[in-house]
Amino acid sequence: MTGGKEKWSFQEIWEVKAPQTVKIFGYLLLQNRILTRDVLRRRHISCPTECVLCSTGEQETAMHLFFQCEYARRVWLMAGGRFGYHLITIDQDVRTSWRRSWNRFKSRGLHVSKFISACFVSICWHIWLQRNNLIFRDNKIPPEIIAVRALDVGRMWAENC
Ligand SMILES: [Zn+2]
């Protein structure tokens, strides 16, 4: 057994301090149902395959877009730097990476973990917004700015949601 990969439920996402829309986004992301280009093509919707955030020609999958893309990596790195805490543990797929990351920060106590989980979801959300921004409005914002914005919003959610 590989540590209960299949046993982990997604229910924790509903307890995150974030708006409902963002929780639904997180839930869909965990189920690989966000409409990234690979998913669109599987549904026979014609679109380019490559990731717009890095322009390296890599296929846009959820795993690439949110965790492996060099743009996403810079967002995570920058956000982690401001936290003084390494936010993401990349594993074989989105769900496993997410679960491993969350298991790490859950061990840091309830208050900290609430704060980090809001920021974690906010970072994913902001990477998604930036991807859509680029596709639909051709508006490129540096990853450093996205990281700061995502943390500010995550902090606000943690305090107010
Ligand atoms: Zn990319």
Side-chain angles (χ1 to χ4, degrees), residues 2 4 18 20 33 99 125 138 158:
T2 55
Q20 192 68 9
R33 282 167 54 199
R99 176 174 57 83
W125 176 243
D138 198 24

Side-chain angles (χ1 to χ4, degrees), residues 4 20 22 24 34 49 69 72-74 82 84-85 96 102 112 116 121-122 125 128 133 139 142 144:
Q20 192 68 9
V22 176
I24 293 168
I34 291 291
T49 56
C69 178
R73 281 174 180 269
R74 283 174 64 192
R82 284 176 69 102
Y85 177 74
T96 316
W102 281 43
V112 177
I116 302 179
V121 173
S122 176
W125 176 243
W128 181 244
N133 229 341
N139 181 13
E144 291 73 17

Side-chain angles (χ1 to χ4, degrees), residues 139-154:
N139 181 13
K140 185 152 197 169
I141 300 170
E144 291 73 17
I145 305 285
I146 296 297
V148 171
R149 191 178 291 173
L151 290 189
D152 283 348
V153 171

Side-chain angles (χ1 to χ4, degrees), residues 11-100:
Q11 299 311 315
E12 299 173 19
I13 187 72
W14 305 115
E15 284 149 38
V16 176
K17 298 240 174 209
Q20 192 68 9
T21 317
V22 176
K23 292 188 210 184
I24 293 168
F25 159 83
Y27 184 75
L28 293 175
L29 175 55
L30 281 164
Q31 295 191 315
N32 205 18
R33 282 167 54 199
I34 291 291
L35 296 179
T36 45
R37 289 176 157 178
D38 60 322
V39 173
L40 289 171
R41 289 171 71 89
R42 275 206 303 276
R43 295 185 184 183
H44 308 289
I45 294 164
S46 163
C47 65
T49 56
E50 67 273 7
C51 171
V52 289
L53 288 183
C54 62
S55 317
T56 58
E58 287 281 331
Q59 200 192 8
E60 189 196 81
T61 60
M63 186 61 191
H64 173 82
L65 184 70
F66 292 100
F67 298 140
Q68 292 174 319
C69 178
E70 75 184 43
Y71 184 98
R73 281 174 180 269
R74 283 174 64 192
V75 175
W76 288 109
L77 198 68
M78 178 76 189
R82 284 176 69 102
F83 250 100
Y85 177 74
H86 191 57
L87 288 162
I88 180 85
T89 304
I90 294 179
D91 206 302
Q92 58 192 352
D93 53 35
V94 168
R95 202 178 304 171
T96 316
S97 304
W98 185 301
R99 176 174 57 83
R100 286 196 57 196

Side-chain angles (χ1 to χ4, degrees), residues 7 26 55 59 108 136:
K7 277 180 275 172
S55 317
Q59 200 192 8
R108 293 169 64 101
F136 300 115

